Amino acid sequence: MSKIGLLTNKQYQVDGGWHAPGEYLRKFKSVKQVKFLDTTSSAGDWSGLLLQKLRNRTYLIGFCQENNFPRGGFTLYTGDIETTFEGDITPEQYASIQNTFCESFYL
């Protein structure tokens, strides 16, 4: 069951260039960080992680974007919750989670 306000399993149409979907996510007040992890596609079919904080809980959520060529813009997809933390996440916790995520997702 999805919690109200969580940016999980959503789809958005975003106009603009490669970085527009990340900028779109950053506009949500509850989003604390957006980080692209795979930017190897020259078409902009990129993926990454976002941190969203609601109440006193921080959620790590995967996302990806797909170029809409020949139409303009991108389709932005958010995934499931990868993990949650009580309160804020430390830089060390984020680095550890990011490494684990990359190893399981990209290998």
Side-chain angles (χ1 to χ4, degrees), residues 32-93:
K32 302 305 176 190
Q33 183 175 353
V34 174
K35 184 163 186 178
F36 287 105
L37 300 176
D38 178 6
T39 58
T40 57
S41 167
S42 62
D45 296 340
W46 297 349
S47 61
L49 294 171
L50 68 94
L51 288 176
Q52 183 179 19
K53 187 172 181 186
L54 294 172
R55 296 174 191 85
N56 194 37
R57 195 131 192 98
T58 300
Y59 301 88
L60 186 73
I61 302 167
F63 73 91
C64 65
Q65 62 186 45
E66 184 178 275
N67 192 318
N68 291 335
F69 183 82
R71 299 178 320 274
F74 289 84
T75 302
L76 169 62
Y77 301 95
T78 62
D80 292 323
I81 297 169
E82 297 298 328
T83 192
T84 64
F85 290 89
E86 197 66 38
D88 293 320
I89 186 172
T90 67
E92 294 79 17
Q93 288 171 315

Side-chain angles (χ1 to χ4, degrees), residues 20-31 34:
E23 293 166 4
Y24 179 85
L25 288 171
R26 288 181 187 96
K27 289 181 182 179
F28 287 91
K29 191 174 187 177
S30 61
V31 172
V34 174

